[in-house]
Amino acid sequence: MDTQQAQNKSGFPGVGWLSSRLSRKLIVIVVALALLDWCVISLHFVDALQAIYTAADPAVASRYAALSMLLFNLLVLAVAAILFFLLVIAPIIRLRKAMRQYSASGQAPERTVRSDEIGRLQNAFVELTETIARKEQAERRLIASISHDIKTPLTSVLGYSERLRAGSLSPERKEQYLDLIHEKALHLKAVVDEFDDYLDVGLRDAAPMVLMEAGELCRRLRHEYSDELEDAGVSFRVECLAPGAQLICSWEHMRRLFGNLISNSINHAQAPRLALELTCERQEDRILFSFRDNGVGVPQELLGQIFEPLYTSDRGRKVSGLGLAICGSIVKAHGGVIHAQNAPGGGLLTQISLPCVEL
C-alpha cells in the first residue's frame, strides 16, 4: 500500500513530469510564444496607457486595450493547443492504437525517427515486441527440441516393450531388451533433469545467495574439479588475481555454471590433450572470470547462439543442448553478463562478468 502511494505521489504532475513528457521542440515553441506574448502585451500595455491618457474617452480606450490583449492571448493559446495536439496528443493516440492492434492481432508496431520522450517511448515499445517475439520463438524451439529428445528414446522403449509382450523370446534376448529399456529410461530422465535445471536456475531465490570472496570461490572450484579432471587426463589451472574481491553468489549455482563449461569443453573441444584455464581478476566494479580451453573453438557465425536454449553444434544431438543456456541463466540471475569468443591462440574463451560488492 505504501509503495503504491509513493508511486502515485511520484506521478503527480509537476515540472519534472511535464518536461519529461513534452516534446522538446514543443517546449521551445511554447517558450518562444510566451516570450512573444509577453513582449506584445508589454508594448501594447504601454500604448494602451498612452491611449487612455490621450483619448477623448478613456473608458472606451481602456475597454479596447483589454479586448485586444484578450484576443491576442486567445490566439496564442489556440496556436499552442494545436501544436500540443499535433506534437504530443496525436502521436500518443497513434501509439495507443498500435498497442491495441498488437494486443488484438499481433501486428508489430513501426519505429519512429522522433528523438524526444514520445519517440523513445514508441521505440521502447517496438523493442519490447521484438523481445517477446524472440522469446516466443525460443519457446517453440524449446518445445520442439524437448519433444525430439523425448520422442526418440520413448519410441525405442515402446518397441522393445512390445517385443517383450509378444513372448517367444530367449532369456538372453529378454535380458538384452530390458537393459536397452533401462538405458533409454535413463536418457529420458537425463533430458527431464536438464530441463528442470534450466527452469530452476533462472530463479534468484532458488538457492541461498551469500557473500563470498573471489579467492574462496576459486579455491572451491579448484578443489571440486582438479582431481576428477586429472584422472581423466585433463589439466585444469585456476589463477585468482583478485582474491580479496567480494561478490554475492550461490555456491551451488557457481559450481553448476563452471561444471557446465567444463563439460562443454570436454564434449566439444576436440583437443588431443585438453587443457582448461580459469582466471579471475577485478575490473573496476566488476569481477571477471575468464574460462578457456585449447580446443577447436566455435565457428564465428555461431558464437552468438551458443548460449541460446537448446542450441547445440551436434546435429545428431544426444543431449538437449541446455548446458550453456543454463550457464547464461545462472549468470543473469547473479546480475552478470556472459560472453564467448574464439581465443587468439586457439580454443574457446568464455568471459563472465559479475558485480563486485564494496563493503
Side-chain angles (χ1 to χ4, degrees):
M1 184 67 179
D2 295 338
T3 303
Q4 184 176 2
Q5 290 177 352
Q7 292 176 349
N8 291 337
K9 290 182 179 179
S10 64
F12 185 82
V15 176
W17 177 89
L18 187 64
S19 63
S20 65
R21 284 159 176 79
L22 290 182
S23 166
R24 294 176 182 176
K25 295 180 181 179
L26 178 61
I27 294 177
V28 173
I29 294 174
V30 170
V31 171
L33 287 175
L35 292 175
L36 177 63
D37 186 29
W38 178 80
C39 293
V40 172
I41 290 176
S42 299
L43 295 175
H44 194 80
F45 182 71
V46 173
D47 293 340
L49 288 178
Q50 293 178 352
I52 291 172
Y53 285 109
T54 59
D57 190 351
V60 175
S62 177
R63 286 195 296 270
Y64 171 75
L67 180 61
S68 61
M69 284 189 290
L70 176 62
L71 292 177
F72 179 78
N73 279 282
L74 289 177
L75 177 61
V76 170
L77 289 175
V79 173
I82 293 173
L83 291 174
F84 184 82
F85 177 82
L86 294 177
L87 295 177
V88 178
I89 302 300
I92 292 178
I93 293 175
R94 289 194 295 268
L95 179 58
R96 183 180 62 181
K97 182 179 179 181
M99 289 180 176
R100 288 181 175 177
Q101 289 177 345
Y102 176 76
S103 175
S105 61
Q107 180 179 347
E110 297 181 354
R111 290 184 176 271
T112 179
V113 296
R114 291 183 60 154
S115 60
D116 57 7
E117 296 298 329
I118 295 177
R120 284 195 285 268
L121 176 62
Q122 180 167 343
N123 289 334
F125 175 59
V126 173
E127 293 172 1
L128 175 63
T129 60
E130 293 173 349
T131 301
I132 293 175
R134 287 194 298 269
K135 288 185 176 181
E136 290 178 348
Q137 186 178 7
E139 289 176 357
R140 287 193 292 268
R141 290 200 308 268
L142 177 70
I143 295 172
S145 183
I146 293 295
S147 174
H148 173 272
D149 288 346
I150 291 179
K151 185 183 299 183
T152 301
L154 184 60
T155 301
S156 299
V157 169
L158 291 174
Y160 291 134
S161 61
E162 288 175 358
R163 294 178 186 179
L164 288 173
R165 293 183 62 185
S168 65
L169 296 173
S170 64
E172 294 79 8
R173 186 54 63 93
K174 288 182 179 181
E175 187 70 21
Q176 179 185 3
Y177 286 168
L178 288 174
D179 290 341
L180 290 172
I181 289 175
H182 181 70
E183 179 184 348
K184 299 298 181 182
L186 291 177
H187 176 77
L188 287 171
K189 183 179 183 301
V191 172
V192 174
D193 288 345
E194 190 177 24
F195 182 62
D196 287 341
D197 287 343
Y198 172 72
L199 296 178
D200 174 67
V201 295
L203 303 176
R204 189 178 180 88
D205 297 331
M209 310 287 283
V210 298
L211 184 66
M212 183 180 298
E213 290 187 347
E216 173 65 15
L217 177 59
C218 290
R219 186 195 65 80
R220 291 191 184 187
L221 292 172
R222 186 187 298 110
H223 180 268
E224 181 78 19
Y225 295 109
S226 291
D227 293 340
E228 180 181 353
L229 291 173
E230 184 178 353
D231 293 340
V234 178
S235 66
F236 182 46
R237 186 173 70 89
V238 180
E239 182 180 9
C240 185
L241 303 178
Q246 295 180 318
L247 69 159
I248 296 178
C249 66
S250 161
W251 161 242
E252 293 299 326
H253 281 177
M254 289 294 103
R255 179 170 62 179
R256 187 181 304 174
L257 165 64
F258 289 100
N260 285 356
L261 291 177
I262 291 172
S263 298
N264 180 73
S265 293
I266 292 175
N267 294 329
H268 302 289
Q270 301 178 16
R273 178 171 174 77
L274 184 60
L276 306 176
E277 297 180 4
L278 174 62
T279 303
C280 172
E281 58 184 320
R282 179 167 181 174
Q283 293 185 346
E284 296 180 353
D285 60 343
R286 313 287 291 184
I287 300 178
L288 180 66
F289 294 90
S290 300
F291 180 83
R292 176 178 175 177
D293 61 40
N294 62 335
V296 297
V298 175
Q300 191 68 31
E301 66 274 10
L302 301 180
L303 279 174
Q305 306 176 35
I306 61 176
F307 295 109
E308 293 181 3
L310 305 171
Y311 169 79
T312 174
S313 59
D314 181 9
R315 297 185 181 275
R317 195 178 65 239
K318 298 181 180 179
V319 294
S320 52
L322 287 172
L324 292 182
I326 290 175
C327 293
S329 296
I330 291 175
V331 174
K332 183 178 180 181
H334 285 74
V337 293
I338 187 169
H339 171 73
Q341 64 186 43
N342 289 315
L348 183 66
L349 173 63
T350 303
Q351 293 185 316
I352 300 163
S353 176
L354 298 176
C356 182
V357 178
E358 295 286 355
L359 296 179

